[in-house]
Amino acid sequence: MQQRFYNLDGLRFLAATIVVISHVESIKKAFGLHYVVNRLLRDGAQLAVTFFFVLSGFLIAWLLLKEKKERQDDKINVFRFYKKRILRIWPLYYLLVLLVFVVIGRLDFFRVDYGRGNEFGTTAYWQKMTGYLFFLPNYTGIRYGGFVYISHAWSLGVEEFFYLFFPVGICFIRSGYIKAFLVAILIASLAVSIGIQLLIPDPSGAEFYLRGFAISYRLYSFALGALAAYLFLNQQLRVVIAAIRFLKNKTVITIGILVVLTLLLTGTTFSHFTQPVYSLLFAMFIFAVSVTGIRLWFINTSPVRYLGKISYGIYMFHPLAIVIAVKCAMGATSSSGGIVFNVLIYGLSITLAISLAMLSYETYEKFFLKYARKKKGDTI
């Protein structure tokens, strides 16, 4: 069975880049600068995060289901799984939390009019810090307002919630019922998310928080990614055999890629069903490029694959990089809305985000990752 997936590292980097580009405009707005408003930039970051959720569901499910197949007791090493996830996510997350609230929050240079309660020393400031220290980025952001340098960590809270129950379910549910388990997660999460949005169109009070969680906790994205992994691992199924035969046609793959790109670039949305529809498209795309073994040239080059490997750092550090880029551009040019100004901001933002991620990965994250490496006898 295939041990390495092509394309996925490069796609992860492209998704992270879309997040950076989308947030450049929102941070320019916070500085009172001229900013661009269009559907692609407005929805790009959310769709990129949805892609991350689907991809995470695919890869995590693939690892766990593969291990379950290989072990005679039909179980998985849950402890090993949590150890690897903690060592991958927590060190960088807590480094950023401390950097933001202990260092950046004190400096005037990094002050941005973004959200409420971001003044150092205020009650709201310490409430935010406490919430992030207890790994509650979703609740903290909804309850106390955003903080430009760390608000995007809400997606980590969603992933951690998925990690809490999914591996345990895979461990104790018999292999014959895995597909039903995944379908149940998909249906239940879709029903809850869409149902709450339809029932509470204009939320206030407690309803506001409920609707916020319903929109952000896209467990159906993980479930669709996991179902794609399940089908990938069960290629003897008739439906999978037929799908592979169909997808082997390069014309079909090309048309599929063009359809997804067209929808993304035109900013096409589907009301309350936007994220579910794109989750399905992303899951189908990931399954297609994985099961056929097709290699998309650019995203499989060594530099891009490396950038995909450090995409977690790019995602975590990009608001800091954007703010520094905006400050530098404002100091270097007299125009605040010209082409040179914007090229400078975008170029610096992406360059700084990559540089910070490389520095973090090579000097900090690797120290923890070496303890999460596969060891003899481990199955994950």
Side-chain angles (χ1 to χ4, degrees):
M1 181 61 68
Q2 180 179 345
Q3 297 297 312
R4 174 174 174 263
F5 295 103
Y6 296 102
N7 307 303
L8 300 188
D9 280 338
L11 289 170
R12 188 184 285 116
F13 166 65
L14 292 181
T17 303
I18 290 172
V19 173
V20 178
I21 292 172
S22 181
H23 284 164
V24 164
E25 295 303 321
S26 63
I27 292 177
K28 281 167 61 180
K29 179 182 178 181
F31 274 99
L33 301 172
H34 174 74
Y35 61 97
V36 178
V37 180
N38 60 49
R39 286 186 172 185
L40 176 60
L41 292 174
R42 184 193 66 195
D43 301 324
Q46 287 293 326
L47 291 175
V49 169
T50 294
F51 176 81
F52 283 133
F53 289 164
V54 175
L55 181 59
S56 183
F58 178 83
L59 293 174
I60 294 303
W62 177 77
L63 285 170
L64 298 179
L65 295 176
K66 180 173 176 288
E67 177 186 3
K68 193 175 181 72
K69 270 190 170 185
E70 293 173 348
R71 286 179 57 150
Q72 293 182 347
D73 60 0
D74 198 38
K75 304 243 182 227
I76 63 169
N77 188 338
V78 177
F79 173 78
R80 175 68 175 157
F81 170 83
Y82 285 127
K83 175 186 173 184
K84 292 187 70 173
R85 289 296 87 199
I86 287 172
L87 289 172
R88 182 67 190 103
I89 295 173
W90 285 17
L92 182 53
Y93 170 81
Y94 280 108
L95 172 66
L96 185 62
V97 170
L98 294 176
L99 181 65
V100 167
F101 289 100
V102 177
V103 180
I104 291 176
R106 294 171 175 260
L107 304 176
D108 289 337
F109 177 84
F110 294 103
R111 187 163 296 166
V112 183
D113 184 15
Y114 189 96
R116 61 187 187 277
N118 294 333
E119 298 78 18
F120 179 79
T122 62
T123 301
Y125 188 92
W126 298 124
Q127 287 172 329
K128 288 183 181 184
M129 181 176 179
T130 302
Y132 282 106
L133 284 174
F134 280 95
F135 214 108
L136 297 171
N138 310 79
Y139 171 79
T140 304
I142 294 174
R143 178 69 176 84
Y144 300 112
F147 199 165
V148 64
Y149 299 104
I150 194 123
S151 293
H152 58 296
W154 68 267
S155 63
L156 299 184
V158 176
E159 291 215 20
E160 291 293 279
F161 182 77
F162 173 74
Y163 296 153
L164 280 177
F165 72 88
F166 185 73
V168 177
I170 294 295
C171 182
F172 291 104
I173 293 175
R174 293 172 59 184
S175 292
Y177 296 98
I178 292 296
K179 182 171 67 173
F181 172 61
L182 298 176
V183 171
I185 296 174
L186 173 61
I187 294 175
S189 60
L190 267 175
V192 171
S193 178
I194 302 300
I196 289 176
Q197 292 181 65
L198 292 174
L199 292 171
I200 313 176
D202 299 306
S204 61
E207 292 178 345
F208 173 81
Y209 304 115
L210 181 62
R211 195 174 191 274
F213 284 114
I215 293 173
S216 62
Y217 277 78
R218 303 163 201 161
L219 298 185
Y220 50 80
S221 301
F222 296 94
L224 285 166
L227 279 168
Y230 174 84
L231 294 175
F232 179 86
L233 285 166
N234 291 275
Q235 296 185 20
Q236 74 281 4
L237 297 175
R238 288 184 180 180
V239 65
V240 181
I241 293 173
I244 293 173
R245 189 180 299 118
F246 179 69
L247 293 169
K248 284 289 186 180
N249 188 320
K250 289 185 177 180
T251 302
V252 172
I253 287 289
T254 301
I255 292 174
I257 292 174
L258 289 176
V259 168
V260 174
L261 284 176
T262 300
L263 291 173
L264 288 171
L265 294 175
T266 56
T268 303
T269 56
F270 306 91
S271 186
H272 297 302
F273 298 92
T274 297
Q275 301 303 334
V277 168
Y278 277 102
S279 294
L280 177 60
L281 291 174
F282 292 149
M284 293 170 64
F285 177 72
I286 291 170
F287 172 78
V289 298
S290 299
V291 80
T292 58
I294 291 173
R295 302 188 197 184
L296 305 174
W297 172 75
F298 174 71
I299 62 175
N300 282 287
T301 57
S302 295
V304 176
R305 282 193 286 109
Y306 175 78
L307 292 172
K309 188 181 296 185
I310 66 170
S311 59
Y312 176 42
I314 294 174
Y315 180 76
M316 293 301 285
F317 286 116
H318 80 271
L320 174 60
I322 294 171
V323 171
I324 294 174
V326 170
K327 290 275 190 175
C328 291
M330 291 172 67
T333 63
S334 57
S335 172
S336 62
I339 294 176
V340 174
F341 181 78
N342 283 288
V343 168
L344 189 58
I345 286 180
Y346 276 98
L348 277 176
S349 296
I350 294 173
T351 302
L352 284 172
I354 291 173
S355 300
L356 289 171
M358 289 176 62
L359 179 64
S360 171
Y361 183 80
E362 296 295 340
T363 65
Y364 176 70
E365 295 169 64
K366 275 188 174 180
F367 174 80
F368 299 94
L369 290 175
K370 69 181 181 181
Y371 294 106
R373 289 174 184 167
K374 186 175 180 180
K375 299 180 182 178
K376 190 173 181 180
D378 287 334
T379 52
I380 295 183

